[in-house]
Amino acid sequence: MKKISKTLVTTLAFYLCFGGAAQARSITSISPPTGPGQGDIFCTQVQTPVNTPFPNNNNSTAASQNQILNFPGLSCTPKTFQAIAPIDTQLFVEPSGGTTEYFFTETAVNNTNSTWNGFSFKIGFGVNDNFGPPELILVPYGFAIPDFDFNGSSSDPQPTSSKFTQLLQDGSFNLQWSGGSVAPGESVDFTFSVDAPDDLDGNDFSSSFTIRELPSAKPVPEPTTINGVLIILGILSSRLALKHKMKVAITEQR
């Protein structure tokens, strides 16, 4: 099991002990994305402000959705992957008095040498080596954390992908896409909804959360493996040619 760093544990402990007496959160801003998936791409350190015209709009209709378009926003949009590795984006929240729902749109670009056969989104806390998913965090009674909203309600928009057709609903904190492919140089569009929920008993769990994204790809055969296959095919071809020549020679002698 993955261990949570001391930094993350300390941060969570701070939130639990000194969180305000609010009963909910809404998203206020988005940090620039970070992580090994970006390779050598530098994202300018520009916070993207988030407008929330409809606070506490849980299970909202399309007409009353808070929208975060072109996620993550002002810095490194569209999100470009140069390696099959995670990219983390931190979102900051503040009390709002109820559960607030957001509708996201995003484009991810495949700038790797591999064809993607899947793509995952995961909600957690912290970034890079300090990232911890909710299933590894013991959340006390009375606390709630943001989650992906795909409960099948007729009023809630369901997650979509322009390249993948199959979605594994692995709990409320994970979206796992498959059933498609994104070749190098291509891009894929996603939409999804996130709820920033109420806490019970007037608790406020954290001042931020993270959306981690990670493409998956089939392993590319090593050059030595390819060369080995070519050698075997060459030997088989030579043997077949030799057998054919011997058969022709015997026929001519007769």
Side-chain angles (χ1 to χ4, degrees):
M1 179 179 288
K2 178 180 176 182
K3 295 182 179 179
I4 304 176
S5 70
K6 291 182 179 179
T7 302
L8 177 59
V9 172
T10 302
T11 302
L12 291 177
F14 176 82
Y15 287 146
L16 290 173
C17 292
F18 299 100
Q23 290 187 328
R25 288 164 298 278
S26 60
I27 299 172
T28 59
S29 63
I30 304 170
S31 276
T34 181
Q38 293 179 160
D40 58 1
I41 293 178
F42 174 74
C43 293
T44 56
Q45 299 300 303
V46 179
Q47 293 285 122
T48 300
V50 175
N51 183 31
T52 306
F54 305 105
N56 312 326
N57 66 327
N58 191 32
N59 297 325
S60 62
T61 62
S64 60
Q65 287 180 353
N66 299 298
Q67 297 188 351
I68 298 180
L69 307 179
N70 301 318
F71 179 70
L74 298 176
S75 182
C76 285
T77 300
K79 195 167 289 182
T80 301
F81 286 79
Q82 295 201 106
I84 306 299
I87 293 180
D88 296 336
T89 307
Q90 199 168 27
L91 301 93
F92 293 93
V93 293
E94 69 177 10
S96 68
T99 299
T100 303
E101 182 178 349
Y102 293 86
F103 177 74
F104 289 69
T105 69
E106 176 182 350
T107 298
V109 178
N110 182 0
N111 200 30
T112 73
N113 295 322
S114 303
T115 296
W116 298 349
N117 63 352
F119 198 95
S120 67
F121 295 84
K122 182 183 287 289
I123 285 178
F125 298 93
V127 297
N128 300 325
D129 291 341
N130 289 328
F131 179 81
E135 56 264 31
L136 296 184
I137 301 171
L138 182 60
V139 180
Y141 174 79
F143 295 92
I145 55 182
D147 59 11
F148 292 112
D149 188 0
F150 48 89
N151 57 18
S153 170
S154 59
S155 62
D156 288 334
Q158 298 302 292
T160 67
S161 170
S162 63
K163 294 286 189 178
F164 300 109
T165 60
Q166 299 176 13
L167 176 62
L168 175 62
Q169 299 184 352
D170 182 15
S172 298
F173 309 112
N174 301 283
L175 298 176
Q176 180 67 56
W177 285 100
S178 61
S181 63
V182 183
E186 293 184 342
S187 63
V188 53
D189 299 325
F190 296 102
T191 69
F192 55 90
S193 296
V194 172
D195 277 346
D198 319 46
D199 275 336
L200 304 177
D201 302 330
N203 297 311
D204 187 25
F205 180 72
S206 67
S207 62
S208 68
F209 67 97
T210 299
I211 295 179
R212 165 164 285 192
E213 300 172 41
L214 176 62
S216 57
K218 294 180 180 179
V220 178
E222 296 292 335
T224 53
T225 303
I226 296 175
N227 292 338
V229 172
L230 292 176
I231 291 172
I232 293 173
L233 291 176
I235 292 173
L236 292 175
S237 178
S238 298
R239 288 181 176 178
L240 290 174
L242 180 59
K243 286 183 178 180
H244 178 71
K245 288 181 180 179
M246 291 177 64
K247 184 176 181 181
V248 171
I250 292 172
T251 303
E252 291 177 349
Q253 288 178 1
R254 292 178 179 176

